[in-house]
Every structure is written in C-alpha cells, then in structure tokens.
Amino acid sequence: MLQHITIPRGPIDLSADLHLPDSTDDAAPLRAVVLSTPGSSVKEQIGANYASRLAARGVAALVFDPAHQGQSGGEPRDLEDPYRRGEDISYAIDALSTVPGIAPERIGVLGICAGGGYAVHTARTDHRIKAVGTVVPGNMGTSFRGFQPDGAAAALDTMAAARTEETRSGELTRANWLPDTLEEATAAGLTDIDTTQALTYYRTERGRNEHSTNRRLSRGDSLLLGYDAYHLVDQLMTQPLQVILAGRIGNTGSYESGMELWKLAPNPVDLMVIDGAGHYEMYDEPEYVDAAVDRLATFYLNNL
C-alpha cells in the first residue's frame, strides 16, 4: 500500500510517500523506517526501490523529497544543504510518529549513498532513531573536498567571489550533478564505469524522473565542503548500525566511507559486502537490491 503524505517543515511542506505492508495486524503497531536518499534523487527513484521492498517484508517505510528539491517546497530550488537534509529526516520522524498504526518508539532510518551520511549525522543527536541502516554510504564533505584540484580552502575563496557576483547580479548559478548525456560524458573524458552507470541510471529511461533536475545550486557547495557526516559518531551514535557495501570498489568512495563508519560506530551490528555489485547497481539491480533489503529487514526486525 502506498500513501502520499505531506510533512510540515516550518513554513514549507515536504512531499512524501509512505509504503505500508499490504496486510497488517491492527493489534501490533508497525516498525517503520525513514529513508534518506542520494544527492540529486527524488522519492520515486532509489528510495522507492528500497521502501517498497521493506514494506513487502513487514516494515513500513517513508521516503520524501528533500526541502528545495523534487515536489517539496523551499526556495531557492536545487539547494543541497547537508544540514537541512538532516533536519528533513527529523521532520519526517515527527510526521511518521503521528501516523496511526506506527510505533513511534520503533522508528529507524535507512540512508543510501549521500543519504547514508545524512542519516548517520542525524542519528547522532536524534535518538528517536533506534536503528541506523546504510547502503553504500557516502560522506559528502569528504567527497566534495576530494573533488577540488587546488584544495578545499582555495575552492572556498573562489566560491566566495562567485557569491558576491551572484548577489550583485541577482542571478543564481547551478551546476550539473552529472553530465546530461553519455555523449557529454565521453566528450569530457568521463568514461569510467561508475560515471557511466550513474548516467545510465539517472539520465536514461531506466531511472530518470521528471522531478529530478540533475542541477545543484552552486552556493550550497561551500556548505558541503565544510561538512563531516561522521563528526562525533564515535561518541554520540549509540544506535545499532548496519552497513551494506558494493563489492566492486570504484571511484565513488562509498566502500572506504562505509568501512570508516563501521570502525567509528560504537554499536556496529552487521556488515555486508555484496560481491560483484557496483555502487550504482545497488540502486535498482534486483539481484543486489533484494539481497540488501533481505539483510536490512532482518536488521530492523531485530533492532526496532
């Protein structure tokens, strides 16, 4: 069962889908999970692939569009603010805990790719989250700092000058998350398997969604550069942790990030490496997604 719901978030609303088991025992409130999705994605993409499968295994799952993105409210559009992404999760828990039939004391979180880092960062200080699951988790701060050829500090100087110019002109600039086509990627020399698989998912009919713009507001990049999703995890994130990784180590950094998280966490419960899978194949390839969700469902049933 799928319910479209609205999550109040201060002056704006978040658009969300609640995936529910087809049959429920009215006497037994449901365990539930809030999903935190990859950067640039919307709720109908990777989040829906995992949420629908969790619901089929008896765990209610709420997936939402982040503020400023998809069908959620918030201006300016296309902003990727890691701190607001974390706040979105807490607002989603607010809403989910009031849904009839959901056990508010049995709510967990599932973060995928960049959403994994956002989920972890939120769970440190929102202990309404009782269990933390991650699939190919990424730390966006580490990733963005690694993308800067002259270093993060020099990039921040450039961004500061660009924001001043934007303020003067009144025109906001946006950057692509990915090239829009495989041809553009090839022309730019981006022919590695991970970029190709990302494009095959996000920019073709396989995974494309009209509400996913493939654009990122440039002025948010300075926030990403200063972000550390795992800050104080070793001290504050006491919840049980599940980490699921793709066995083919590529250039996304998610394998390394997941292993770092596993070592930092005070309460690591289960680590799974799916042989043969690449990072982006964990988004929708049934063989890999089903294996991950089987393990996640067991983790949530045991820890929520």
Side-chain angles (χ1 to χ4, degrees):
M1 292 187 291
L2 180 65
Q3 293 182 5
H4 302 293
I5 69 172
T6 298
I7 299 172
R9 193 203 194 287
I12 67 171
D13 292 331
L14 304 181
S15 178
D17 288 337
L18 177 59
H19 295 253
L20 294 166
D22 287 335
S23 60
T24 60
D25 180 354
D26 292 337
L30 291 166
R31 298 170 176 85
V33 172
V34 172
L35 278 88
S36 177
T37 54
S40 84
S41 72
V42 293
K43 62 186 180 298
E44 293 84 4
Q45 295 176 309
I46 303 98
N49 292 336
Y50 279 81
S52 60
R53 284 171 166 84
L54 283 169
R57 290 159 175 80
V59 180
L62 177 68
V63 61
F64 60 89
D65 288 337
H68 307 271
Q69 300 177 32
Q71 293 174 287
S72 290
E75 295 290 341
R77 303 304 295 169
D78 301 320
L79 175 64
E80 183 77 7
D81 180 335
Y83 304 99
R84 289 183 69 80
R85 286 288 303 259
E87 291 171 353
D88 290 341
I89 296 170
S90 290
Y91 278 104
I93 294 171
D94 292 343
L96 186 59
S97 64
T98 67
V99 174
I102 299 295
E105 73 282 1
R106 293 179 130 185
I107 293 176
V109 69
L110 170 59
I112 304 165
C113 189
Y118 298 148
V120 166
H121 201 253
T122 306
R124 301 167 316 133
T125 54
D126 191 337
H127 281 204
R128 295 175 301 170
I129 297 170
K130 301 304 182 184
V132 180
T134 62
V135 176
V136 292
N139 184 338
M140 283 289 275
T142 300
S143 297
F144 256 69
R145 288 188 290 275
F147 293 156
Q148 312 308 317
D150 298 320
L156 287 168
D157 291 340
T158 301
M159 291 173 189
R163 180 153 182 166
T164 298
E165 181 57 34
E166 281 188 349
T167 302
R168 289 172 178 161
S169 68
E171 296 182 4
L172 299 179
T173 59
R174 287 166 170 79
N176 277 33
W177 283 100
L178 293 164
D180 280 319
T181 66
L182 287 167
E183 291 74 18
E184 288 183 13
T186 299
L190 301 173
T191 57
D192 62 278
I193 188 171
D194 287 311
T195 300
T196 299
Q197 290 186 344
L199 283 163
T200 301
Y201 179 79
Y202 279 114
R203 307 310 298 162
T204 72
E205 292 307 310
R206 172 180 160 195
R208 188 201 308 270
N209 185 275
E210 62 180 317
H211 301 296
S212 177
T213 66
N214 192 37
R215 299 295 186 271
R216 185 183 70 253
L217 194 70
S218 296
R219 64 170 49 190
D221 287 357
S222 59
L223 299 174
L224 295 168
L225 280 174
Y227 183 67
D228 180 3
Y230 300 161
H231 180 57
L232 296 179
V233 159
D234 57 332
Q235 300 176 48
L236 302 178
M237 200 188 80
T238 57
Q239 300 96 322
L241 171 70
Q242 163 99 66
V243 175
I244 298 178
L245 303 175
R248 181 180 60 74
I249 302 174
N251 63 13
T252 66
S254 62
Y255 184 91
E256 296 83 353
S257 176
M259 287 300 187
E260 178 189 3
L261 173 61
W262 179 255
K263 292 174 183 176
L264 285 172
N267 191 10
V269 169
D270 188 38
L271 173 66
M272 180 186 193
V273 178
I274 298 183
D275 291 338
H279 179 102
Y280 295 100
E281 291 172 314
M282 293 300 303
Y283 284 7
D284 71 334
E285 288 289 345
E287 173 187 359
Y288 303 135
V289 176
D290 286 335
V293 175
D294 283 342
R295 194 77 158 249
L296 286 162
T298 298
F299 168 74
Y300 291 125
L301 291 170
N302 288 339
N303 291 283
L304 292 179

